[in-house]
Amino acid sequence: MRPRAWCGVLAAVALSATACGGGGGEAKKSDDAAAGARSGFPVSVTDCMGAKTTFESAPKRIVTSNAAGLELLMWLGAGDKVAGTGFPPGKGAMPGQYADRAAKVPVLGKTVIPKEKLLGSGADLYVDAFSSMKNMGKMGDAPTAKEFETAGIKHVFLKSTACVAMSKAPRTDLSGVEADIEELGKVTGTSARAAELVQEMRKKTGAVQDALRDVPKDKRPSYFFFDYDAGTKQPMAVCNRQVANAVIGMAGGRNVFDGCDGDFKPVGWEDVVAKNPDWIQLGVRNRGSEEANAKAFDEAAEFLKNFPATKDLTAVKEGRFLRIGSERTTIGGVRSADTVREIAHTLHPDRVK
């Protein structure tokens, strides 16, 4: 090894500020580059349109657009870097081990973070679960790419949700969610942890797939996700680009509205009746406590039992309801694999324990 290279190694090991062979500034740049390479940097990621963003080092101050990004950062071990969030998680929505820490994250917006507050947050990274700015349009007054750059904020997307509008094929697995976890791991310098999380997700979903391998697709029970909180006047269908379509399919069910493209679509109650689903998930959003959630699930079930259009459906008369939270099904994340297993156990109890 050449003397100059030895000097760089020794300097890195000893964390010395002494310059080796040349000006101190150049030596420091060399050491920084070597440290970056060892930690996996620089890394580049793309948005929904393919535009590239490069990170020379891990971000130090992160803002998330909603609870989905916040939870992922907690799982990755980067939760201490989160300086703010929009759409904060309700009480009881976060995994227990992260609940206290998540509750301390400053809320920059109860819904979409106001533009001025986001740009003035001092963040060096914004993790966005919404559509690319070119597509989102109506999600508030979003900063432009130039404004993000001027504020010193790099902007990355959770593509499994942000890029749904541009997807050209139905979602049948959790590969998009897993890719988000791996990409966010690269950006935050937590790739090893990301790999562990993805491996555990695949282990869970793989076991379900093995258990259902010999169940023909046309013999799998039909399934309707009833988004109770979206309103009861007109039901909202979960379509084939939504992550819930993948969750339901991997769990051994057949989403009755898997023929509609996109993520969500208003339909009529006559459409639901015509589908006559074998199972109905009561898609209730978290109310903040087990007691409040149980009450909301009861309300959703009572609506279906008393509503003229649905009271005679077989699933309703036989009480074939799943009480699984809406967010756990429609928002991709580490726990999506657990939701697959829970649904599969209900639909196929003899196969999935």
Side-chain angles (χ1 to χ4, degrees):
M1 182 180 289
R2 292 174 296 174
R4 186 180 179 87
W6 270 113
C7 185
V9 172
L10 292 172
V13 172
L15 298 178
S16 171
T18 304
C20 297
E26 290 302 316
K28 186 177 186 307
K29 288 180 182 178
S30 177
D31 291 343
D32 289 346
R38 286 194 299 276
S39 60
F41 291 93
V43 298
S44 296
V45 296
T46 59
D47 67 8
C48 301
M49 304 295 291
K52 187 166 70 172
T53 298
T54 299
F55 291 80
E56 300 296 336
S57 61
K60 294 180 174 60
R61 188 175 171 86
I62 307 172
V63 168
T64 60
S65 66
N66 65 357
L70 173 59
E71 182 176 331
L72 279 183
L73 289 167
M74 294 288 179
W75 280 106
L76 287 167
D80 59 332
K81 296 182 178 181
V82 182
T85 190
F87 286 98
K91 182 180 178 182
M94 275 281 171
Q97 66 268 39
Y98 304 127
D100 290 343
R101 191 187 307 172
K104 296 175 182 176
V105 172
V107 176
L108 301 184
K110 291 185 177 180
T111 56
V112 177
I113 300 173
K115 175 178 174 178
E116 294 76 15
K117 190 169 285 190
L118 174 56
L119 293 175
S121 64
D124 53 0
L125 172 62
Y126 178 52
V127 178
D128 199 345
F130 303 128
S131 177
S132 283
M133 296 305 174
K134 186 172 182 179
N135 301 317
M136 68 189 292
K138 298 175 183 175
M139 288 299 293
D141 185 16
T144 64
K146 184 63 177 176
E147 287 172 326
F148 273 121
E149 182 181 357
T150 301
I153 303 174
K154 292 185 184 294
H155 185 193
V156 301
F157 297 89
L158 297 181
K159 293 198 280 289
S160 63
T161 52
C163 304
V164 168
M166 304 177 68
S167 178
K168 292 181 168 51
R171 299 177 69 176
T172 58
D173 58 35
L174 297 179
S175 59
V177 177
E178 293 166 355
D180 277 339
I181 295 170
E182 292 171 333
E183 188 167 275
L184 200 54
K186 285 170 54 180
V187 166
T188 58
T190 59
S191 288
R193 175 61 175 156
E196 291 175 1
L197 292 171
V198 170
Q199 182 179 24
E200 186 60 28
M201 288 176 66
R202 290 175 179 170
K203 182 179 178 180
K204 292 174 182 177
T205 58
V208 171
Q209 302 309 291
D210 289 342
L212 303 178
R213 195 172 303 282
D214 61 346
V215 181
K217 299 290 185 184
D218 61 351
K219 299 297 183 183
R220 299 185 177 194
S222 56
Y223 193 102
F224 171 52
F225 177 88
F226 172 36
D227 193 345
Y228 177 63
D229 290 312
T232 56
K233 186 174 182 180
Q234 182 176 32
M236 187 68 69
V238 162
C239 296
N240 60 28
R241 305 299 200 268
Q242 225 288 323
V243 69
N245 187 68
V247 169
I248 294 166
M250 294 181 79
R254 289 183 293 115
N255 174 18
V256 294
F257 289 107
D258 65 358
C260 68
D261 296 334
D263 50 4
F264 297 98
K265 177 184 177 182
V267 293
W269 280 114
E270 64 276 12
D271 299 311
V272 176
V273 172
K275 299 291 185 181
N276 193 23
D278 296 313
W279 288 90
I280 299 175
Q281 179 177 336
L282 306 175
V284 169
R285 295 168 199 168
N286 188 279
R287 298 295 200 270
S289 72
E290 289 187 15
E291 182 181 1
N293 288 340
K295 182 181 178 182
F297 282 128
D298 288 343
E299 290 172 354
E302 285 304 308
F303 169 80
L304 293 172
K305 291 176 182 177
N306 294 304
F307 187 54
T310 57
K311 64 184 180 65
D312 292 325
L313 288 174
T314 303
V316 174
K317 290 195 293 185
E318 297 185 3
R320 291 205 292 263
F321 299 132
L322 292 89
R323 296 178 173 229
I324 300 176
S326 194
E327 296 94 336
R328 286 186 49 202
T329 315
T330 61
I331 298 175
V334 172
R335 292 186 288 172
S336 295
D338 297 311
T339 306
V340 167
R341 190 163 60 180
E342 185 173 347
I343 294 175
H345 171 65
T346 302
L347 272 53
H348 306 276
D350 56 328
R351 293 173 177 270
V352 182
K353 306 301 180 183

